[in-house]
Amino acid sequence: MKPRILTSALVGVLMFLSAGLAAASPASAAATAGADRTIHYQGATFRVPASWPVVDLDRAPNTCVRFDRHAVYLGRSGARQDCPAHLMGRTEAILVQPAGHGAAPAAQENTSAREITVSTAELTVTASYGTDRATVQAVLDSAGLPRVRRTQPRSATPAAPAVAAAVSASTTSYTGKGFDLCQAPDSSTMGTWKASSPYGAIGIYLGGVNRTCDQPNLTSGWVAQQASIGWHFIPLYVGYQAPGACQNTCTAIPSPSQGTADADDAIAQLSALGFPAGSPVYMDIEPYSPASYSSLVMGYLSAWTTQLHARGYLSGVYGNGSGVISDLVANYGSATMPDLIDFAIWPGSGSTSTSDPTIPDNEWANHQRIHQYAGDITETYGGISLGIDSDYLDVQQAGPGSGWDDFGDGRQNPAIGREANGAMIAFAVSPDQQGLYYREQSAPNGGWGTWQQLGGAVGGLPVVGRDPDGRLELFVLGPGKSSIQHIWQTAPGGGWSSWDPNFGGPAAGLTVGQNADGRLEVFALAPGGANISHIWQNAPNGGWSSWDATFGGPAGGTPVVGHEADGRMAVFVLGPNGNSIAVREQVAPSAGWGAWNGSFGGPAGGLTVSQNTDGRLEVFALAPGGANISHIWQNAPNGGWSSWDATFGGPAGGTP
């Protein structure tokens, strides 16, 4: 190792900066623009702006290495830096450290984070930049360091090296107290606080153009170590901000589409730390004004969430209760919403509660909230003090497992709906019957996002209908099949209402159809299977009638609904003994019902109905014992039926 030398002139201006002591202000830096000084370190010579203070980390190892102020840091950054809890922003600053063993020359740039990293056999240099990349490049060039090769567009972000998942996505779910701070503590501190403090989760700042603190501890090994002793995580990403945020020290959003690139970078950082798909990451949005920036921020967050979903991750947003959170609440149901919110209200209603009067109870209602209830405080446990912000988490967002259960209602498949924009959405119940989940395409014909929880008390599989205005309405059997639960979108493609506790109805099995005038109609099998009741909307997109228990039967299974070419609904159901099929049709579109036809015949182990492109209905039925499928079809649209054809074949092990 070559000797470490500082020029005598430099020694005279050497500054040991504590966490609270600033480097030169932008005004003083400007006053000396054009003046340089020379630094010699580990055999390399750098020319840096004279106004930038120099920090000797070997003499002051607890100094906070921060990239929001002009400075040059020399030496290995400390594992226990004395940093304020909540620093934001990034400007031109340089950290020069001795290279690790076996280091090879390399240069790469993360344009999303505005950071250049250069390595030689002797040095590793991390250079951040805000709006003045040329200045940091000139400093690097003055030392003859390798340049980043621009073989890709400047906007491209090199992917962080992928590693095997160090933890499961469930480590980002937690109910209880947590804390966050600018720099991830070393493992010794984490062990002491796990044993002595009331906290069980930690917020980690994993990237972003406005992340201020150096993170020497934050590696995949560190994440795995903390998870092994019981810590949970709040992954935070400090991306672009509204103009004027962070008292003008943060880099502003260049365009809403930047949210897509930042989502990709956040996923790269999650992967490098060992977090798998299905994990959430929270975009940190600092307070902003005036209100004219709301559309810019909402567009940026919409792009962020859309891209995370497209790649199988959950989207979170952190912000002030009167800032971005209020904008999200104001746009709930009419814009792309994050899956989770982390709101800062000091002190909030109920302190550690995740409820607050400013956020309606039916929004992010299903274990989708974190409340940062105190900030800029110092707490000591096990003799170790940290400057932190305190949080209370109610996050339970692990997706449903494999092996969907039948629940005894004859429907083994999840319900599939279609959003107003044409994208598909799937609904299913977790095998433990503890929650209803949904997963949707990021765009029509596009990829799929991750599973998200709708909550609810469930006892069977869901069915879904769509109102004429494009809103989806979901129905599912309640616990014990004693009632039917009902929830609906508050706007086309938007968020969801609260569960309707009064929908009621018989509940041994259910299906939904749609009248020709657009009104939804639900048919439900009474417990014991002897009869069918139905309920319908009084007007398209409107409220509901009372249940009518006179729809009748015979009924030996869950009904299915087909739609004739002229718009009339037809309800098919297994007979009481499961050895035949009965059908009942409307006498006219959107009108009353004719008599049951109990002589429809057919095998009857299970059935489904579909429609040919010419409008003819076709019924498929499972033979008793499940060895074969038969089918029957209309001879003409709205017309009579063929004979049953038993040659459709199989293999058949369940309802077609």
Side-chain angles (χ1 to χ4, degrees), residues 127-459:
S128 68
Y129 60 92
T131 58
D132 190 3
R133 185 183 184 280
T135 291
V136 297
Q137 186 62 64
V139 173
L140 300 177
D141 289 345
S142 71
L145 298 176
R147 271 196 168 216
V148 175
R149 296 177 62 184
R150 294 203 176 278
T151 57
Q152 295 179 314
R154 182 171 174 179
S155 60
T157 299
V163 299
V167 295
S168 70
S170 64
T171 60
T172 57
S173 290
Y174 186 68
T175 300
K177 286 188 174 183
F179 70 97
D180 56 270
L181 71 174
C182 193
Q183 185 204 56
D186 65 312
S187 290
S188 175
T189 297
M190 293 295 291
T192 298
W193 271 51
K194 188 67 180 69
S196 306
S197 79
Y199 299 113
I202 179 172
I204 50 174
Y205 289 91
L206 53 84
V209 68
N210 285 305
R211 182 181 74 169
T212 298
C213 288
D214 180 39
Q215 295 283 5
N217 300 318
L218 191 54
T219 65
S220 60
W222 181 93
V223 169
Q225 169 64 20
Q226 309 328 313
S228 72
I229 63 174
W231 283 105
H232 294 74
F233 305 99
I234 311 167
L236 293 154
Y237 186 89
V238 194
Y240 289 82
Q241 304 293 317
C246 317
Q247 298 179 334
N248 293 308
T249 65
C250 281
T251 304
I253 300 169
S255 72
S257 63
Q258 181 64 41
T260 301
D262 283 357
D264 286 335
D265 183 55
I267 291 170
Q269 307 314 319
L270 282 169
S271 177
L273 292 174
F275 288 97
S279 301
V281 56
Y282 298 77
M283 173 65 75
D284 185 322
I285 296 292
E286 294 300 299
Y288 54 88
S289 63
S292 57
Y293 295 135
S294 295
S295 61
L296 175 65
V297 174
M298 288 299 102
Y300 174 66
L301 292 177
S302 176
W304 160 264
T305 297
T306 298
Q307 184 67 357
L308 286 174
H309 286 176
R311 296 189 58 187
Y313 291 78
L314 293 179
S315 165
V317 171
Y318 162 86
N320 189 272
S322 59
V324 67
I325 301 301
S326 65
D327 268 344
L328 288 171
V329 169
N331 288 276
Y332 194 90
S334 61
T336 303
M337 289 288 109
D339 308 296
L340 302 142
I341 57 171
D342 180 353
F343 60 95
I345 298 179
W346 310 347
S349 174
S351 186
T352 59
S353 168
T354 57
S355 296
D356 192 85
T358 62
I359 306 172
D361 288 342
N362 66 318
E363 298 176 5
W364 300 282
N366 300 302
H367 309 289
Q368 295 168 276
R369 297 185 182 187
I370 300 173
H371 177 195
Q372 188 184 90
Y373 61 89
D376 295 333
I377 59 177
T378 298
E379 294 189 3
T380 303
Y381 297 99
I384 299 177
S385 299
L386 294 176
I388 64 170
D389 297 333
S390 295
D391 312 299
Y392 189 82
L393 295 80
D394 180 15
V395 176
Q396 299 294 330
Q397 291 295 298
S402 60
W404 296 106
D405 222 340
D406 182 350
F407 296 117
D409 67 357
R411 298 175 61 89
Q412 293 180 317
N413 298 318
I416 306 296
R418 195 171 293 277
E419 294 274 23
N421 68 351
M424 288 191 292
I425 181 169
F427 302 89
V429 178
S430 59
D432 59 8
Q433 302 187 38
Q434 294 304 304
L436 185 66
Y437 292 80
Y438 69 95
R439 189 179 187 187
E440 55 190 333
Q441 287 180 310
S442 58
N445 308 311
W448 289 82
T450 190
W451 286 103
Q452 302 178 65
Q453 192 175 29
L454 268 179
V458 298

Side-chain angles (χ1 to χ4, degrees), residues 543-581:
W544 294 82
S545 70
S546 299
W547 281 95
D548 173 16
T550 66
F551 195 79
T558 301
V560 296
V561 178
H563 294 84
E564 299 271 14
D566 61 7
R568 291 177 299 125
M569 284 190 291
V571 175
F572 301 84
V573 67
L574 297 179
N577 299 316
N579 57 5
S580 65
I581 297 170

Side-chain angles (χ1 to χ4, degrees), residues 401-622:
S402 60
W404 296 106
D405 222 340
D406 182 350
F407 296 117
D409 67 357
R411 298 175 61 89
Q412 293 180 317
N413 298 318
I416 306 296
R418 195 171 293 277
E419 294 274 23
N421 68 351
M424 288 191 292
I425 181 169
F427 302 89
V429 178
S430 59
D432 59 8
Q433 302 187 38
Q434 294 304 304
L436 185 66
Y437 292 80
Y438 69 95
R439 189 179 187 187
E440 55 190 333
Q441 287 180 310
S442 58
N445 308 311
W448 289 82
T450 190
W451 286 103
Q452 302 178 65
Q453 192 175 29
L454 268 179
V458 298
L461 297 177
V463 296
V464 60
R466 192 169 88 174
D467 287 313
D469 63 7
R471 292 179 303 112
L472 297 178
E473 303 219 17
L474 197 69
F475 310 87
V476 65
L477 299 180
K481 301 180 181 178
S482 59
S483 64
I484 296 170
Q485 309 294 310
H486 174 218
I487 194 173
W488 59 93
Q489 285 181 316
T490 56
W496 294 85
S497 70
S498 301
W499 287 91
D500 177 6
N502 301 313
F503 196 74
L510 72 155
T511 192
V512 62
Q514 191 163 37
N515 285 281
D517 62 8
R519 293 177 300 117
L520 296 179
E521 192 157 349
V522 174
F523 303 86
L525 187 67
N531 194 50
I532 295 173
S533 294
H534 65 141
I535 190 173
W536 56 89
Q537 286 179 312
N538 294 313
N541 310 309
W544 294 82
S545 70
S546 299
W547 281 95
D548 173 16
T550 66
F551 195 79
T558 301
V560 296
V561 178
H563 294 84
E564 299 271 14
D566 61 7
R568 291 177 299 125
M569 284 190 291
V571 175
F572 301 84
V573 67
L574 297 179
N577 299 316
N579 57 5
S580 65
I581 297 170
V583 61
R584 189 178 186 187
E585 300 176 283
Q586 285 181 315
V587 297
S590 307
W593 294 84
W596 280 99
N597 174 6
S599 60
F600 196 74
L607 75 156
T608 192
V609 62
S610 192
Q611 189 176 47
N612 288 281
T613 56
D614 61 6
R616 294 178 301 119
L617 292 178
E618 193 157 349
V619 175
F620 303 84
L622 186 68

